[in-house]
């Protein structure tokens, strides 16, 4: 069974090459300018009208901001949207005042307003940026972009490709449906779309050359869709998750990427000239579809056997958790369709639908879930007592995953977003190294806005 997107496409001509991404090159000094504003873009391609979106720099996704580890990012942001916004730098370790959470770390940027973001880049890796005000609507309308911090000594590859995965809910005229905030989405799986995209387009084929080595940076920018990608005929190696290096290892089964998550893969193209291999998303039962296809050109192979060069990335300078001195905090997730809210709370069409430790904040005023001293190691256990998937994202502090469903993880793994399966659990550890109020929330944005958020206070 095939998604609506494919039905939408039936009879239309296949698109050619991978849509070009606007790479923004910058001088070391001086600020990058970034504007958010309404735009019209072609999402579905030939035969369909353009879609009204909100975009950074006029494109979806927005410009990929590229820096090098140790640089200072300076971003002069202007808001050309008809409503207030902010930018959150997802996964980056930034001072609290630069974290972009309205009413918590900054005031919103009003229409016509500006904000200067500036922070040192401690970590190399694949990160991204998006609004944190009215997030479910603003992201669904297209406000996302990649933020890439290059290693001082990156591994040798032939090409470094960015795949921004998106998901749009479009009507037959390729317009965004305006059923934002629908209680059905809020209480179930979030705003799942019908048009998954790669770099803001439907990309039938990604041209590749036999023998080349790619570094593939994948970012899931969707509001709600989890991707489960199978690279048919290929054996990618995973070198980083959520921007943080891991011991390189072959991908086991599908690459599961929840909203907010990233993965860096090394892909050695071992097919033959002229061959084609599908990249299939089969995360949801009975909704398997081809995301795209690796299309080998007819040129002779670039080399006969895979490049013999190391792919291991140097670790980022993350503070090591001191487990012996950790404070522990459980985070129990309740609610959702087929579930119930604790403490006699009632679900209404306006929400809440979800609760974290018995609290279901719907507005901005939140009392901290936990308050810790700066430098404290925190061990947090998530318990998902619901029938739904929840990618839990912590701002400020990449965390080490210790256990999943009670079992220790196979290898050291740092993340900023941990996907909890229905009725699953996970235990994480991190050092609360920066003072301030930091968000912890579900990255299914309709869940976040229906009760799934909390604050970690570091004093
Ligand atoms: Cu990517 Cu609080 O978000
Ligand atoms: Cu959730």
């Amino acid at each position: 069974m095939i998604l609506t997107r494919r039905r939408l496409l039936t009879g239309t001509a296949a698109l050619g090459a991978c849509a070009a991404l606007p790479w923004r090159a910058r001088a070391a000094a001086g600020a990058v300018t970034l504007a958010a504003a309404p735009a019209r873009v072609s999402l579905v391609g030939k035969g369909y009208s353009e879609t009204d979106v909100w975009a950074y720099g006029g494109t979806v996704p927005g410009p990929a901001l590229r820096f090098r580890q140790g640089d200072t990012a300076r971003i002069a942001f202007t808001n050309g949207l008809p409503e207030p916004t902010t930018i959150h730098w997802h996964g980056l370790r930034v001072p609290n005042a630069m974290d972009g959470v309205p009413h918590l770390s900054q005031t919103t940027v009003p229409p016509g307003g500006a904000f200067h973001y500036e922070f040192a880049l401690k970590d190399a890796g694949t990160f991204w940026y998006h609004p944190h005000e009215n997030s479910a609507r603003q992201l669904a309308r297209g406000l996302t972009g990649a933020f890439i911090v290059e290693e001082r000594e990156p591994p040798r590859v032939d090409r470094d490709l960015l795949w921004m995965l998106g998901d749009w809910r479009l009507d037959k005229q390729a317009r965004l449906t305006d059923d934002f905030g629908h209680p059905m989405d809020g209480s179930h799986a979030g705003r799942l779309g019908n048009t998954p995209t790669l770099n803001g387009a439907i990309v039938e084929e990604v041209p590749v050359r036999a023998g080349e080595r790619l570094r593939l940076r994948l970012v899931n920018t969707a509001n709600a869709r989890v991707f489960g990608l199978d690279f048919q005929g290929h054996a990618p190696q995973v070198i980083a998750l959520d921007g943080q290096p891991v011991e390189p290892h072959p991908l086991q089964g599908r690459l599961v990427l929840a909203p907010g998550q990233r993965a860096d893969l090394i892909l050695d193209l071992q097919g033959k000239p002229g061959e084609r291999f599908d990249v299939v998303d089969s995360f949801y039962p009975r909704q398997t579809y081809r995301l795209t296809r690796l299309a080998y050109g007819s040129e002779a192979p670039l080399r006969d056997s895979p490049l013999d060069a190391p792919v291991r990335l140097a670790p980022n300078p993350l503070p090591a958790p001191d487990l012996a001195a950790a404070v522990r905090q459980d985070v129990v997730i309740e609610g959702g369709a087929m579930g119930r809210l604790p403490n006699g709370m009632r679900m209404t069409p306006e929400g809440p639908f979800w609760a974290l430790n018995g609290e279901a904040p719907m507005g901005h005023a939140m009392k901290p879930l936990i308050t810790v001293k700066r430098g404290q190691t925190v061990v947090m256990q998530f318990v998902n007592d619901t029938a739904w998937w929840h990618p839990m994202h912590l701002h400020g502090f990449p965390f080490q995953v210790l256990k999943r469903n009670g079992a220790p993880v196979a290898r050291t793994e740092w993340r900023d977003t941990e996907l909890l399966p229905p009725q699953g659990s996970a235990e994480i550890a991190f050092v609360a190294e920066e003072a301030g109020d930091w968000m912890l929330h579900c990255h299914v944005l309709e869940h976040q806005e229906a009760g799934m958020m909390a604050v970690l206070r570091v004093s």
Side-chain angles (χ1 to χ4, degrees):
M1 161 121 168
I2 290 294
L3 282 183
T4 316
R5 151 183 154 180
R6 291 292 157 196
R7 266 181 253 132
L8 253 173
L9 278 174
T10 308
T12 66
L15 286 182
C18 180
L21 270 184
W23 295 98
R24 182 156 295 189
R26 294 155 343 292
V32 180
T33 58
L34 189 66
R40 276 176 73 73
V41 299
S42 172
L43 287 175
V44 189
K46 271 203 197 74
Y48 289 87
S49 38
E50 296 191 312
T51 304
D52 285 303
V53 297
W54 288 358
Y56 292 116
T59 61
V60 292
L65 305 179
R66 279 202 175 237
F67 297 89
R68 290 186 77 195
Q69 189 171 21
D71 286 354
T72 294
R74 295 184 181 83
I75 295 130
F77 172 66
T78 52
N79 181 11
L81 302 171
E83 64 178 50
T85 191
T86 61
I87 305 184
H88 170 58
W89 313 95
H90 182 124
L92 285 159
R93 290 192 289 156
V94 302
N96 191 253
M98 294 292 128
D99 197 45
V101 178
H103 316 288
L104 204 62
S105 66
Q106 71 166 97
T107 51
T108 54
V109 186
F115 194 90
H116 182 80
Y117 290 96
E118 178 164 339
F119 42 89
L121 298 164
K122 301 178 187 175
D123 299 332
T126 303
F127 305 97
W128 64 300
Y129 60 95
H130 63 75
H132 224 287
E133 169 75 359
N134 203 1
S135 309
R137 284 171 176 76
Q138 293 196 6
L139 273 85
R141 289 186 190 280
L143 290 167
T144 65
F147 194 110
I148 292 173
V149 186
E150 285 165 3
E151 296 84 16
R152 287 277 152 184
E153 288 169 39
R156 191 178 148 210
V157 296
D158 297 304
R159 287 190 294 152
D160 185 327
L161 292 189
L162 174 61
W163 284 13
M164 297 283 278
L165 306 178
D167 181 33
W168 308 78
R169 190 181 285 180
L170 303 178
D171 67 14
K172 294 217 161 48
Q173 278 76 49
R175 289 177 303 217
L176 274 165
T177 65
D178 63 1
D179 52 349
F180 299 108
H182 197 287
M184 190 67 153
D185 295 329
S187 59
H188 291 69
R191 183 182 167 94
L192 290 169
N194 51 22
T195 310
T197 53
L198 199 167
N199 297 337
I202 290 176
V203 177
E204 294 292 345
E205 292 192 344
V206 174
V208 296
R209 178 168 179 190
E212 68 174 340
R213 169 170 286 181
L214 302 182
R215 176 176 184 166
L216 211 52
R217 300 173 187 263
L218 294 117
V219 184
N220 184 349
T221 72
N223 276 42
R225 177 173 299 280
V226 183
F227 290 82
L229 301 182
D230 180 26
F231 292 80
Q232 296 187 348
H234 289 78
Q237 294 189 72
V238 183
I239 59 166
L241 294 167
D242 290 359
Q244 302 297 339
V246 284
E247 185 62 27
H249 60 277
L251 176 63
Q252 301 277 314
R254 302 180 297 194
L255 176 71
V256 173
L257 216 57
Q261 292 187 321
R262 289 89 62 214
D264 286 47
L265 305 179
I266 294 290
L267 192 59
D268 285 312
L269 292 154
Q270 293 300 294
K272 296 191 188 61
E275 286 191 310
R276 276 166 174 60
F277 295 91
D278 290 351
V279 180
V280 167
D281 176 10
S282 61
F283 184 79
Y284 299 96
R286 297 179 305 281
Q287 292 188 20
T288 298
Y289 67 97
R290 189 177 71 223
L291 178 72
T292 189
R293 196 152 48 180
L294 301 173
Y296 282 73
S298 53
E299 320 88 298
L302 192 59
R303 54 179 72 80
D304 295 328
S305 53
L307 186 62
D308 185 19
V311 296
R312 181 179 290 100
L313 300 169
N316 283 318
L318 298 170
D322 178 359
L323 295 180
V327 296
R328 294 190 61 94
Q329 176 69 49
D330 283 355
V331 178
V332 179
I333 307 165
E334 293 173 273
M338 298 177 286
R340 51 168 209 90
L341 287 174
N343 304 338
M345 279 189 276
R346 301 267 313 273
M347 296 187 203
T348 76
E350 287 75 46
F353 299 119
W354 310 93
L356 298 180
N357 287 2
E359 303 277 341
M362 292 291 294
H364 295 295
M366 272 180 276
K367 63 171 200 271
L369 173 87
I370 177 175
T371 301
V372 298
K373 284 255 168 301
R374 189 171 173 193
Q376 175 70 52
T377 292
V378 181
V379 170
M380 210 173 248
Q381 183 184 218
F382 296 109
V383 178
N384 180 8
D385 192 12
T386 79
W388 303 90
W389 295 85
H390 302 291
M392 294 300 292
H393 172 49
L394 175 64
H395 287 212
F397 316 111
F399 50 78
Q400 192 180 344
V401 183
L402 302 176
K403 291 179 181 168
R404 292 194 170 106
N405 301 320
V409 296
R411 63 181 66 78
T412 305
E413 184 175 326
W414 293 86
R415 287 201 164 273
D416 56 56
T417 306
E418 172 69 9
L419 179 60
L420 292 159
Q423 301 299 332
S425 70
E427 194 173 278
I428 65 166
F430 59 92
V431 178
E433 59 170 339
E434 280 278 345
D437 281 352
W438 302 92
M439 287 282 290
L440 167 70
H441 63 87
C442 182
H443 223 287
V444 172
L445 301 170
E446 292 74 20
H447 292 180
Q448 176 194 343
E449 293 183 355
M452 283 195 79
M453 53 181 166
V455 166
L456 165 76
R457 176 164 291 167
V458 182
S459 58

